[in-house]
Amino acid sequence: MAVDAAARPVAPQGAGGRHADLLLHHADPHLLVVEKPAGLLAVPGRGEDKQDCLSARVQAIHPDALVVHRLDMATSGLVVFARSPAVQRLLGDAFAERAVHKEYEAVASGLPAGGGADADGWHTIDLPLGADWYRRPMQRVDADAGKPSLTRWRTLSRDPAAGTTRVRLSPVTGRTHQLRVHLQAIGHPILGDALYAPAAVQAAAPRLLLHAALLAFVHPVTGAALQVRSAVPF
């Protein structure tokens, strides 16, 4: 079952006007798929000023919603919530076992060379990642102690005049900041990336141009194939 254009805005109840509308892409008795805007935390942070977040906004409407996974604050796109502890465990296992197919879209600096792709145009970045302890929360390529990290990417379009390339990204593993670090490591950081891009690339966009555009997985209760897409906002 594919879900694309059926997304609808839902205003939180009892939010006192404090929250923007939520975009709900899929809802059933067992799970929700919601769109996170860029600049919003996925879960609460430390401090009173970091309590407004996607999970709080979703739970204002659906009190049974439970966190399954997260997106970086700067990244927009699709996030799944479970509606019971049992489904939360099943979805968590699916993410851990790489049974959830994820695709992102980004605009990267530069014009990557086209060589080395497979028959479908996908390239592979296979670089181990670990914490950059002196610049936390940043991550870095760490050949000695890093965890195996694998990203597939392909070119969607190139803009030679702007010196940018729109790419589709499919993370096989799910390390912190994986897509951002991997693209930076091959010389093509994402526009608007305040952590990993040089100043000129960071200033080239008003936000991080990275969006979680597709999630596909087997529904943990019904067994149906569920595919949810989100329109890229940049």
Side-chain angles (χ1 to χ4, degrees):
M1 176 172 59
V3 182
D4 297 304
R8 61 187 188 275
V10 180
Q13 302 298 312
R18 195 163 59 90
H19 298 159
D21 288 350
L22 289 172
L23 191 60
L24 182 64
H25 285 264
H26 174 84
D28 66 41
H30 310 289
L31 61 89
L32 308 164
V33 183
V34 181
E35 183 155 325
K36 187 187 83 66
L40 179 69
L41 289 166
V43 297
R46 294 182 179 178
E48 188 62 30
D49 61 330
K50 295 181 176 62
Q51 298 310 295
D52 181 24
C53 60
L54 183 66
S55 63
R57 295 185 186 188
V58 172
Q59 288 161 358
I61 307 167
H62 299 283
D64 58 353
L66 299 170
V67 174
V68 175
H69 67 119
R70 307 178 186 185
L71 290 178
D72 293 345
M73 181 178 180
T75 304
S76 59
L78 298 172
V79 179
V80 180
F81 287 85
R83 302 189 70 177
S84 71
V87 172
Q88 183 186 38
R89 287 192 295 272
L90 291 169
L91 286 170
D93 289 345
F95 274 92
E97 294 165 5
R98 304 178 188 176
V100 178
H101 180 70
K102 298 168 283 184
E103 290 188 5
Y104 293 67
E105 196 163 311
V107 179
S109 174
L111 303 171
D118 65 16
D120 295 318
W122 288 94
H123 303 257
T124 299
I125 304 171
D126 186 359
L127 295 170
L129 300 178
D132 188 339
W133 295 109
Y134 296 102
R135 297 189 298 167
R136 296 170 69 185
M138 294 179 67
Q139 307 292 302
R140 65 187 181 93
V141 175
D142 186 343
D144 297 321
K147 295 181 179 179
S149 305
L150 190 66
T151 297
R152 301 178 71 235
W153 68 273
R154 66 188 299 266
T155 297
L156 295 176
S157 62
R158 296 158 68 90
D159 186 342
T164 61
T165 302
R166 185 173 289 269
V167 296
R168 180 164 293 149
L169 301 154
S170 181
V172 179
T173 52
R175 310 301 179 201
T176 302
H177 299 172
Q178 176 177 315
L179 302 178
R180 301 164 71 176
V181 179
H182 270 175
L183 283 181
Q184 186 271 340
I186 65 169
H188 301 286
I190 300 172
L191 271 59
D193 193 337
L195 291 180
Y196 299 102
V201 176
Q202 178 182 336
R207 53 155 291 191
L208 176 71
L209 298 190
L210 178 63
H211 182 76
L214 181 146
L215 285 173
F217 54 93
V218 174
H219 194 290
V221 176
T222 69
L226 181 63
Q227 179 174 285
V228 184
R229 293 183 182 272
S230 166
V232 178
F234 50 79

